[in-house]
Amino acid sequence: MTDETLTDVTVIGGGPVGMFTAFYSAMRNLSVQLVDSLPELGGQVAALYPEKPIHDIAGFVSGTGAELIANLKRQIDSFGDKIGVHTNEEVTGLERLDDGTFILRTAAREIHTRSVIVAIGSGAFSPRPLAIDYDREQLDGRKVFYFVKRLADFKGKTVAVAGGGDAAIDWALELEQIADKVVLIHRRDNFRALESSVTRLKESTVAILTPYKFTTVAGTPDGLHIELAKIKSDEVLDLDVDALLVNYGFTSDNHVLRDWGLPVKRGDLQVNEYLETDVPGIYGVGDAVNYPGKVKLISAGFGEVPRAVNHLAEQLYPDRKQPLHS
Ligand SMILES: Cc1cc2nc3c(=O)[nH]c(=O)nc-3n(C[C@H](O)[C@H](O)[C@H](O)COP(=O)(O)OP(=O)(O)OC[C@H]3O[C@@H](n4cnc5c(N)ncnc54)[C@H](O)[C@@H]3O)c2cc1C
């Protein structure tokens, strides 16, 4: 199917930053298409941590990932069909035509567009697993978890949380409120997380086990048996828990950007101060990009959107005035 209309801007990736990009582009009266490979919009937030609270977005208080995505969806919906949303469609091809416009290809359609904003985050992502052999086929998704889809599944249980970053601490604190007992296991004494979260953790009832590494994770009829070894020590610790939640971060694959001939360094799209790549008309925002001072957080990605879209609007419609505010 060929899209006959020449679109002003097509956003590849419907994570939080791509969603806001589509909305803001519509605010600037640009025609916009938003394409995401997953069945639902929301990117990492919807797929990986819908029930995790998010504390570090201005004006968004005590909300979960799912609530943030629902709010972004409401903003998009407020423009009705002025924003074309295409989910379950991976963009596999990006071609620049001689007139400077682009053709984007998915399995279902071709989109002819005057500009492209790449918001594909880290591309296809997968969680970094526990660094020991265990029966992944039997235990993953049953007793060992890499995502929390429903916090209520852990109600009244004894839960071990592995990891020392923000996600591990946020989950430990969240689980503390509904689980019977929470144990946080980290291989270092220091946590790499927001200082305020570490303070809350230390004031909580979460049992902190550091510096320990996992040596055994095995299923039992009632749950999981875990053996830990203290780092630089002979001390060994046995734990019996109902579930283990692993938060060791994620690996990702952005190779598609190279296939499209875009400037990539260490997996990140390289952009200038207007979030534009060295291909005129192709921009990048959110976790997909890097530049000096880049911070890979939602609020930082949101801040990039007006810079990219207003610059792009100026290139497409030089006579239009720049906005002051909505
Ligand atoms: C466990 C965890 C907890 C986090 N907690 C916080 C937090 O509390 N606060 C915070 O600010 N940040 C947090 N982050 C980071 C935050 O999620 C990211 O910064 C944010 O999701 C980046 O948004 P994005 O829209 O740039 O990319 P993403 O959310 O990664 O979305 C990218 C989208 O692009 C789509 N896509 C990829 N390739 C294609 C393609 N070829 N065609 C079409 N679609 C494609 C993907 O399907 C995906 O939906 C956390 C991350 C994790 C993993």
Side-chain angles (χ1 to χ4, degrees):
M1 190 175 102
T2 301
D3 194 325
E4 298 293 343
T5 328
L6 179 60
T7 299
D8 286 329
V9 51
T10 300
V11 185
I12 310 177
V17 182
M19 292 175 81
F20 183 55
T21 307
F23 166 73
Y24 192 86
S25 301
M27 294 252 292
R28 291 297 327 268
N29 262 351
L30 300 171
S31 55
V32 52
Q33 308 284 329
L34 174 64
V35 191
D36 198 287
S37 50
L38 295 174
E40 301 289 337
L41 293 177
Q44 294 177 48
V45 185
L48 304 182
Y49 57 98
E51 295 207 9
K52 188 179 88 66
I54 298 180
H55 300 292
D56 52 359
I57 293 179
F60 181 71
V61 186
S62 308
T64 61
E67 282 161 357
L68 175 71
I69 298 306
N71 287 349
L72 288 162
K73 183 93 188 358
R74 277 176 52 211
Q75 286 186 310
I76 288 179
D77 290 346
S78 69
F79 279 100
D81 56 11
K82 286 195 180 139
I83 301 177
V85 178
H86 313 287
T87 49
N88 233 345
E89 288 187 33
E90 182 178 353
V91 176
T92 48
L94 190 165
E95 184 188 344
R96 188 166 193 261
L97 305 182
D98 289 343
D99 64 0
T101 63
F102 303 90
I103 295 285
L104 295 188
R105 293 193 178 84
T106 75
R109 76 192 70 237
E110 288 187 348
I111 298 174
H112 189 193
T113 185
R114 299 176 74 193
S115 67
V116 176
I117 302 187
V118 178
I120 65 170
S122 321
F125 44 78
S126 48
R128 200 169 274 129
L130 275 178
I132 53 162
D133 280 335
Y134 69 96
D135 190 345
R136 293 199 66 166
E137 205 177 322
Q138 280 302 314
L139 298 178
D140 282 5
R142 295 188 181 93
K143 294 176 181 176
V144 177
F145 299 88
Y146 288 90
F147 309 107
V148 177
K149 282 284 183 193
R150 271 174 24 100
L151 202 53
D153 292 344
F154 298 94
K155 191 165 181 211
K157 299 202 167 163
T158 300
V159 187
V161 177
D166 281 302
I169 293 181
D170 286 354
W171 278 126
L173 290 170
E174 221 30 48
L175 286 162
E176 183 202 14
Q177 294 170 41
I178 62 155
D180 183 43
K181 187 171 181 211
V182 180
V183 185
L184 181 63
I185 302 158
H186 182 37
R187 55 179 300 122
R188 296 192 181 83
D189 279 324
N190 295 325
F191 293 99
R192 276 188 307 158
L194 280 175
E195 294 83 346
S196 56
S197 301
V198 177
T199 305
R200 281 174 57 215
L201 175 74
K202 289 183 177 161
E203 290 168 0
S204 75
T205 63
V206 174
I208 301 172
L209 291 178
T210 63
Y212 282 96
K213 65 176 183 186
F214 286 80
T215 50
T216 305
V217 170
T220 63
D222 297 332
L224 275 179
H225 180 68
I226 295 174
E227 279 175 26
L228 303 172
K230 192 157 197 173
I231 305 282
K232 292 187 185 156
S233 152
D234 295 333
E235 193 185 314
V236 174
L237 205 65
D238 289 290
L239 283 180
D240 285 299
V241 298
D242 295 309
L244 168 64
L245 174 64
V246 182
N247 291 276
Y248 284 168
F250 294 85
T251 56
S252 52
D253 182 3
N254 252 348
H255 76 275
V256 75
L257 297 175
R258 278 191 204 284
D259 298 347
W260 294 342
L262 297 177
V264 178
K265 204 164 143 192
R266 290 196 204 99
D268 294 321
L269 191 61
Q270 302 297 299
V271 291
N272 65 17
E273 66 272 36
Y274 301 111
L275 289 308
E276 192 172 23
T277 66
D278 60 11
V279 181
I282 299 191
Y283 293 72
V285 290
D287 276 16
V289 304
N290 208 349
Y291 53 82
K294 168 71 186 172
V295 179
K296 292 202 177 186
L297 284 175
I298 296 164
S299 54
F302 285 168
E304 291 160 2
V305 171
R307 276 198 280 156
V309 174
N310 288 324
H311 185 262
L312 176 159
E314 206 178 334
Q315 306 305 305
L316 297 185
Y317 299 101
D319 297 338
R320 282 194 199 170
K321 287 207 170 75
Q322 287 288 326
L324 289 175
H325 48 68
S326 60

